[in-house]
Amino acid sequence: MQLELAAGCNGAAPPSFSLAGLGAALVVSSEAAVGEELLFRGPLLWGLAAMIPWLARKNMPLARALVRRWGPHGAAVFAVAVSALLFGIAHLLPSPETPLPALSPAVAVQAMLKVVEGTAFGSLMGSLVVNSRWFAARDGAILRSLGFPMLLHAAFDLLYFAPTLGLGFPLPDTYLTGNVLDELGMAASTLLLILAVFVAARSKKARSC
């Protein structure tokens, strides 16, 4: 079943939206959400949060300063920040078969935006984990704390993948395309994610007062 979206020109077939493409977008977004949340907000985030108090007991200066200043909350913030930054950097890496694009001003801007965008998104997902009752209880229920972030991550990716796959186009192998038009959407989503991080931080601060 296909819904024609536009009339073709010069005899070319018009782009069409297919349920098969939508199904592919659903599969890809679900796989990415589950895999990335398991890696970056699972053992990595939980492990970092548990490691800071342990390092503080071993008299590591940075860990001691975090625990002394913010207690267990400092370890959680550190874990969210580091896992989110690694999440952002990981999204710069293309598929193994794709060579890195030549460095240009457009590519440099895209790289910076992608790291900031990914870090902001990772911060939001990480905050959901550390504010969950399972993380607070520290009962080892890692998978339970990842349920809601996985759903939101899948929804976010579906909004990104559905137009491309639904119309039958392949997903790009890398975010660093060098196309200035691609930067507009990335910049818009980056600003929205930064705003979401700011609002979440403000709401959390208000609740703690």
Side-chain angles (χ1 to χ4, degrees):
M1 175 181 177
Q2 293 185 336
L3 301 176
E4 299 297 332
L5 297 181
C9 56
N10 299 326
S16 59
F17 190 83
S18 68
L19 291 182
L22 181 60
L26 183 59
V27 171
V28 171
S29 59
S30 299
E31 289 179 346
V34 172
E36 291 176 359
E37 292 306 315
L38 281 175
L39 175 60
F40 291 98
R41 259 70 67 182
L44 178 59
L45 190 154
W46 279 67
L48 285 171
M51 184 177 66
I52 294 301
W54 180 81
L55 290 175
R57 292 193 295 270
K58 297 296 182 179
N59 293 323
M60 181 178 179
L62 176 60
R64 288 181 59 190
L66 282 170
V67 173
R68 185 183 301 114
R69 177 65 177 84
W70 288 292
H73 179 69
V77 170
F78 178 83
V80 169
V82 172
S83 61
L85 180 60
L86 292 176
F87 178 77
I89 294 174
H91 279 74
L92 290 179
L93 304 176
S95 63
E97 298 81 13
T98 305
L100 290 172
L103 184 62
S104 67
V107 169
V109 170
Q110 279 182 322
M112 180 186 67
L113 284 174
K114 195 59 195 176
V115 171
V116 175
E117 179 193 60
T119 302
F121 185 83
S123 298
L124 283 177
M125 298 299 102
S127 66
L128 291 175
V129 172
V130 300
N131 288 319
S132 67
R133 59 189 179 92
W134 295 286
F135 187 86
R138 297 297 177 92
D139 60 359
I142 298 178
L143 291 179
R144 291 183 181 181
S145 72
L146 298 179
F148 190 43
M150 283 181 180
L151 288 176
L152 286 183
H153 193 152
F156 184 91
D157 283 355
L158 183 61
L159 291 174
Y160 177 82
F161 295 140
T164 302
L165 293 177
L167 291 173
F169 298 112
L171 292 176
D173 293 325
T174 176
Y175 293 100
L176 306 182
T177 63
N179 188 337
V180 177
L181 292 178
D182 292 339
E183 296 177 2
L184 298 179
M186 191 179 293
S189 62
T190 300
L191 289 175
L192 289 174
L193 284 169
I194 291 175
L195 178 61
V197 171
F198 176 77
V199 170
R202 292 286 296 178
S203 63
K204 183 177 179 181
K205 182 178 180 180
R207 288 195 305 269
S208 63
C209 293

